[in-house]
Amino acid sequence: MANGYAGKILRVDLSQGSVAVEEPDEKFYRRYMGGWGIIAHYLLKELPRGADPLGPDNLLIFATGIVTGAPVAGAGRHAVGAKSPLTGGFGAAEVGGFWGAELTRAGWDAIVIRGQAKEPVYLWIRDDQVEILPAGHLWGKYTADTQRALRQELGDERVRVAQIGPAGERLSSIAAVMHDICRAAGRTGLGAVMGSKNLKAVAVRGSGSKQVADREALQAVGRWFSEHYPTTWLLGLGEHGTANGVKQHEDGGLPTYNFQRGTFDEGWEAITGDRMTETILKERDTCFACPVRCKRVVEVNEGPYPVDPTYGGPEYESIAALGSTCGVGDLSAVAHANMRCNAYGLDTISTGVTIAWAMECFERGLLTLEDTGGLELRFGNAAAMVQAVELIGRREGFGELLARGCYRAAQAIGRGTEKYVMHAKGQEIPMHEPRIKYGLGLGYAVSPTGADHMHNFHDVDYTKEEDIGSLKPFGILDPLPFDDLSPAKMKLAATLIPWSTLDNALGWCMFVAGSFDQPHFVETVRAITGWKTSTYELFKAGERAYTMARAFNAREGLTAADDRIPWRFFEPFKEGPSAGNALPIEGFEQARVTFCRMMGWDPQTGAPEDWKLHELGVGWVADGIK
Ligand code: SF4
């Protein structure tokens, strides 16, 4: 079909060993667009309430969006989803690379997998031929070895592979689904869901290409973007990658020592993107159809922390999580730990923050050498950080506890360690500090997936008149300070959070999509689909997906009491440029209530109101969550 989607969803039942094809109508695609929208639809329609995230009933869903695989810059993303074993609620993670575009080339919009195979298997999709094949010989292998073996076995070096590493096989709650070896659908523990299904990998090869409705119009948008691109921040992003996020140290907002500080005087200059470019960078890498090339490939051949470039290189989140948050200012050690996470299939954010939690507890005497198996887990001990990654990946010794994530590890061990867990809904906090971005803190608290930066916003990007030009079509006419939590800031949150959820649903990289103005953004979707669409319709699609994810959480028993972030963010920083900054307790609660009302959620329960679900055209969800 020449409208940006294939019209086919692959259904797989691993218990039965069967596959089937579902062919939704156009309304399905127009309502859900892809990604989160499709994931929320299936979880709400088909997953029994209260299902065990690691049981056969859970659904593992790979969902592209209508932009994924189209000839558009940044069109290489898709989402993976399930009920999360980490949060117990809506689980979803977005990922770039080439796998999602390959799935569209094979003629599929999504894969919905249920059941559990008796023995390890992998899925082989070659256009419309689908096979469930034995994977016993791949079980236990690292991600690069698995991809190599599969390409050899299938006789095609261009096969794209989504897979779990040993961490997912061992059902770690912080395991990722890895794509193209080093692109992680990292958040919410989806690797464990894949492991529980005995599904090692999904290998894909397509011979087609995404068909779009108006190729000439899309080419015209492409020409506009080529001219516009050099004037955007994307040029700098490509040069040094996301790693220059480490420079948030200069604003006092670099997570350091398990978020005890916002500055890392001792080590920040050693782990910046500039430093990586000067030292260990081997080459830049990219995702499908993207000129930005913000991905890193690093290589280290000498010293205690070698890095194999096959595993790519660390992005900002990984550098700060395994680096400053653990007090480690050694770039090679951080890159090595990142490589080991990619090999084991671990989420680098959750892994780093869990180790940082253990380090703080160790330094406070709440964990002992007896607990850690002799590991001196002190901030700044790079060797201990690397060893902890190994133990988590293998789920051995102290790593058995840490592989549950810091929230569940603290619940298991007690002794006051719970106080130092940096999480929301059980998921570890990403590398953006709420004390320099107050609205972002609210975004962490209310997110359906727990602490998550992928559908959030950064207050500091909207503090000046020149920052808000693209928001005027949404009725936002005034910039706001970073520490504002007024109703005006909540209006900003209630606009930007659904809009970034839309990026994820479309399968469009938020860096690139965010550089499009409204007319060209809307024109891109129109040219792909042929729909006479509008900012209003697209915004509603993002809001619908986000609201349905909240509805799923309400159905699974999560409430407004789960919309919390750690006490630490309400205590002022003692030093650095952000000294004195702290979220206000009462103001934060008032902001949460205002945000709920703007989103059409009951502030008491946190659940979307019936009228809101009807207003979004998914009234059927209202009955299901009662
Ligand atoms: S900007 Fe970076 S993350 Fe986004 S699609 Fe391009 S290379 Fe991938």
Side-chain angles (χ1 to χ4, degrees):
M1 280 186 259
N3 50 17
Y5 55 90
K8 282 194 325 185
I9 290 180
L10 177 61
R11 307 297 300 254
V12 178
D13 188 327
L14 291 172
S15 296
Q16 303 292 330
S18 62
V19 300
V21 182
E22 182 179 350
E23 297 184 77
D25 61 13
E26 184 185 24
K27 285 183 200 165
F28 174 90
Y29 292 95
R30 198 151 182 168
R31 185 171 287 132
Y32 301 120
M33 304 274 168
W36 271 45
I38 287 181
I39 291 166
H41 166 85
Y42 283 106
L43 290 181
L44 282 159
K45 280 261 181 197
E46 298 188 8
L47 185 70
R49 186 193 299 251
D52 177 359
L54 301 182
D57 287 337
N58 202 1
L59 303 174
L60 180 67
I61 301 162
F62 293 82
T64 68
I66 51 180
V67 173
T68 313
V72 173
R77 293 186 74 83
H78 69 280
V80 186
K83 181 175 177 180
S84 166
L86 188 65
T87 69
F90 184 78
E94 300 77 36
V95 60
F98 296 86
W99 187 93
E102 195 70 26
L103 188 68
T104 67
R105 284 164 53 84
W108 301 99
D109 301 310
I111 312 172
V112 181
I113 303 167
R114 66 170 71 245
Q116 272 172 344
K118 288 192 179 64
E119 304 288 337
V121 296
Y122 74 93
L123 204 57
W124 168 222
I125 301 169
R126 168 85 191 163
D127 293 331
D128 54 5
Q129 291 173 17
V130 181
E131 294 177 85
I132 301 171
L133 297 170
H137 59 302
L138 303 172
W139 209 251
K141 281 191 189 302
Y142 295 132
T143 50
D145 298 333
T146 299
Q147 178 168 298
R148 204 174 296 121
L150 274 173
R151 285 180 167 179
Q152 196 172 18
E153 184 170 319
L154 299 168
D156 188 342
E157 280 302 304
R158 298 178 71 181
V159 166
R160 297 288 176 186
V161 178
Q163 59 168 311
I164 51 170
E169 295 170 10
R170 289 166 193 159
L171 309 182
S172 166
S173 302
I174 55 174
V177 178
M178 305 301 297
H179 300 70
D180 304 310
I181 298 175
C182 54
R183 307 298 170 79
R187 309 305 332 262
T188 66
L190 300 170
V193 178
M194 196 157 162
S196 74
K197 296 190 175 306
N198 264 329
L199 179 62
K200 177 67 176 174
V202 181
V204 182
R205 186 78 169 93
S207 61
S209 61
K210 176 159 272 198
Q211 300 300 303
V212 301
D214 188 342
R215 190 162 283 274
E216 276 181 31
L218 206 53
Q219 285 167 347
V221 175
R223 285 193 292 277
W224 168 81
F225 181 67
S226 298
E227 287 166 22
H228 172 64
Y229 170 58
T231 68
T232 69
W233 73 293
L234 295 171
L235 271 190
L237 176 68
E239 194 177 351
H240 296 299
T242 55
N244 268 348
V246 168
K247 293 184 177 177
Q248 290 182 93
H249 159 90
E250 293 169 333
D251 303 321
L254 177 65
T256 302
Y257 302 137
N258 199 29
F259 293 85
Q260 292 181 84
R261 280 178 24 192
T263 51
F264 187 36
D265 299 320
E266 311 84 307
W268 76 278
E269 284 173 303
I271 56 174
T272 62
D274 302 356
R275 183 58 67 88
M276 198 192 312
T277 305
E278 292 158 13
T279 56
I280 63 174
L281 184 72
K282 181 177 159 70
E283 59 185 323
R284 285 162 57 180
D285 197 3
T286 194
C287 304
F288 172 81
C290 187
V292 180
R293 301 182 67 79
C294 77
K295 300 294 179 185
R296 309 286 96 174
V297 178
V298 304
E299 183 169 21
V300 180
N301 294 310
E302 291 173 355
Y305 304 117
V307 183
D308 175 352
T310 309
Y311 285 101
E315 300 199 46
Y316 166 66
E317 298 290 331
S318 310
I319 292 174
L322 298 161
S324 57
T325 307
C326 293
V328 173
D330 178 332
L331 188 56
S332 294
V334 169
H336 180 88
N338 175 72
M339 174 187 73
R340 300 307 292 158
C341 285
N342 287 347
Y344 280 114
L346 283 167
D347 175 31
T348 52
I349 299 173
S350 287
T351 301
V353 174
T354 297
I355 295 171
W357 161 79
M359 285 176 161
E360 182 170 0
C361 292
F362 188 88
E363 294 209 338
R364 291 179 183 274
L366 301 172
L367 290 173
T368 65
L369 284 173
E370 201 177 328
D371 294 313
T372 65
L375 210 54
E376 279 276 348
L377 269 176
R378 294 191 182 282
F379 287 120
N381 186 343
M385 181 275 290
V386 167
Q387 183 60 19
V389 170
E390 287 294 322
L391 292 173
I392 295 170
R394 295 202 297 263
R395 212 161 178 169
E396 281 177 12
F398 190 49
E400 198 291 315
L401 188 76
L402 300 184
R404 305 177 200 183
C406 56
Y407 176 75
R408 285 163 195 261
Q411 294 292 316
I413 209 159
R415 293 184 232 153
T417 60
E418 305 94 319
K419 184 173 177 187
Y420 304 105
V421 172
M422 299 303 292
H423 80 107
K425 299 185 179 71
Q427 173 153 264
E428 293 74 12
I429 306 277
M431 298 298 109
H432 304 278
E433 172 51 73
R435 281 168 286 188
I436 66 162
K437 303 170 182 176
Y438 285 22
L440 169 117
L442 188 281
Y444 283 160
V446 299
S447 163
T449 51
D452 203 322
H453 62 295
M454 291 302 293
H455 41 266
N456 211 322
F457 71 107
H458 300 270
D459 307 54
V460 290
D461 293 342
Y462 306 99
T463 58
K464 298 191 283 296
E465 203 67 51
E466 60 266 32
D467 296 337
I468 57 163
S470 66
L471 296 179
K472 289 182 179 169
F474 295 100
I476 293 171
L477 305 178
D478 298 304
L480 293 164
F482 76 91
D483 56 355
D484 182 281
L485 281 174
S486 68
K489 179 63 76 69
M490 291 306 101
K491 158 76 175 163
L492 186 67
T495 303
L496 290 171
I497 288 174
W499 192 254
S500 56
T501 304
L502 172 72
D503 292 342
N504 296 335
L506 293 173
W508 199 358
C509 173
M510 62 170 61
F511 295 149
V512 180
S515 299
F516 275 55
D517 60 21
Q518 282 302 312
H520 287 98
F521 189 110
V522 174
E523 175 63 2
T524 300
V525 178
R526 189 206 64 77
I528 291 172
T529 59
W531 302 333
K532 287 180 181 156
T533 190
S534 62
T535 298
Y536 176 82
E537 182 183 16
L538 296 176
F539 177 80
K540 282 290 168 188
E543 187 185 10
R544 185 178 302 117
Y546 193 78
T547 304
M548 288 172 73
R550 285 287 304 197
F552 178 79
N553 279 4
R555 196 193 77 168
E556 296 303 312
L558 278 77
T559 70
D562 296 295
D563 293 341
R564 297 283 178 264
I565 53 174
W567 60 272
R568 181 158 275 160
F569 296 134
F570 299 90
E571 303 256 312
F573 277 129
K574 295 190 178 61
E575 59 214 334
S578 54
N581 285 14
L583 290 171
I585 291 175
E586 276 182 29
F588 192 78
E589 174 57 14
Q590 279 167 11
R592 187 195 66 79
V593 169
T594 303
F595 181 79
C596 284
R597 292 202 169 117
M598 286 185 181
M599 294 296 290
W601 307 345
D602 180 341
Q604 299 296 321
T605 66
E609 304 266 18
D610 284 13
W611 66 261
K612 171 50 76 172
L613 291 163
H614 282 281
E615 189 254 339
L616 291 169
V618 286
W620 61 270
V621 175
D623 294 334
I625 65 172
K626 286 205 176 75

